[in-house]
C-alpha cells in the first residue's frame, strides 16, 4: 500500500442493498411486520455474510493467528462500514492489518504504464426501474 492507496470493506451486497442492513432491519422489526420477500432476502443476506466472512478468514489464515484472522474477517465482511468506506494505510495499520507504506519505485513506474482512463460518466448506473432497450422483443404486448 502506498500513501495514496486505500482498501475497501468486502461486505456482500444483494442487488443495491448491503446484506448486513437487510439482516439488521429484519432483526429490528416484529416478524409480523416483515413481508415474505424481505424475509427471503434476509435469509440470503445471512448466507452471503457467512460465506464472505469464511472466505476472507481463509485468505488471512496463512498470515495471521486464527483469532486475529477471524476478527479481521468479521470486521471487513460484516458491514462495519459502508461498502465504499476507504480504509487508509493508517486505519489498516491501526486495525492490525500487516501493511507497508513504502512502495518500491519500480512498482510505481510499472503503474504509470497502466493509466486509468478518465471517465465522463459512471461505469455503474442505478436505474430504479426495469431496463428496456427499446428493441421490439423487449416490449410487452401492451407496449406495441
Amino acid at each position: 500500500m502506498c500513501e495514496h492507496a486505500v482498501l475497501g470493506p468486502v461486505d456482500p451486497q444483494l442487488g443495491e442493498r448491503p446484506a448486513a442492513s437487510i439482516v439488521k432491519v429484519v432483526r429490528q422489526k416484529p416478524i409480523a411486520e416483515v413481508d415474505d420477500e424481505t424475509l427471503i432476502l434476509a435469509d440470503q443476506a445471512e448466507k452471503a455474510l457467512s460465506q464472505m466472512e469464511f472466505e476472507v478468514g481463509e485468505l488471512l489464515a496463512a498470515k495471521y493467528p486464527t483469532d486475529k484472522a477471524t476478527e479481521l474477517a468479521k470486521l471487513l465482511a460484516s458491514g462495519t462500514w459502508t461498502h465504499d468506506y476507504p480504509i487508509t494505510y493508517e486505519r489498516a495499520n491501526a486495525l492490525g492489518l500487516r501493511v507497508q507504506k513504502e512502495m518500491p519505485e519500480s512498482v510505481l513506474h510499472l503503474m504509470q504504464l497502466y493509466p486509468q482512463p478518465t471517465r465522463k460518466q459512471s461505469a455503474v448506473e442505478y436505474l430504479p426501474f426495469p431496463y428496456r432497450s427499446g428493441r421490439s422483443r423487449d416490449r410487452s404486448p401492451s407496449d406495441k
Side-chain angles (χ1 to χ4, degrees):
M1 250 184 118
C2 77
E3 61 186 316
H4 306 292
V6 294
L7 302 172
V10 291
D11 57 311
Q13 310 289 297
L14 297 180
E16 70 223 29
R17 293 183 171 76
S21 296
I22 296 167
V23 171
K24 184 177 179 181
V25 76
V26 169
R27 289 186 179 145
Q28 289 180 337
K29 291 179 87 172
I31 195 76
E33 294 180 22
V34 182
D35 64 272
D36 291 348
E37 187 69 28
T38 303
L39 290 173
I40 293 167
L41 200 56
D43 177 57
Q44 292 295 304
E46 284 179 341
K47 291 173 184 171
L49 286 162
S50 178
Q51 289 167 195
M52 185 60 72
E53 190 176 323
F54 175 80
E55 294 300 326
V56 173
E58 288 282 303
L59 289 171
L60 297 173
K63 301 283 183 181
Y64 297 88
T66 304
D67 58 334
K68 186 63 176 177
T70 301
E71 173 194 332
L72 288 169
K74 185 166 188 65
L75 190 65
L76 293 169
S78 67
T80 303
W81 305 284
T82 58
H83 192 63
D84 60 348
Y85 178 76
I87 301 171
T88 62
Y89 164 79
E90 290 79 12
R91 181 77 170 136
N93 196 37
L95 293 172
L97 288 167
R98 293 183 189 146
V99 292
Q100 295 180 25
K101 196 173 191 179
E102 297 74 33
M103 182 67 63
E105 264 321 291
S106 58
V107 172
L108 294 175
H109 289 301
L110 180 64
M111 296 293 286
Q112 288 178 342
L113 298 174
Y114 300 95
Q116 297 298 306
T118 304
R119 296 180 191 252
K120 295 189 181 198
Q121 76 179 60
S122 174
V124 177
E125 183 177 356
Y126 168 66
L127 301 173
F129 47 83
Y131 175 74
R132 292 181 189 250
S133 70
R135 295 179 294 180
S136 62
R137 69 178 184 185
D138 291 339
R139 295 186 195 148
S140 69
S142 63
D143 291 343
K144 293 182 182 176

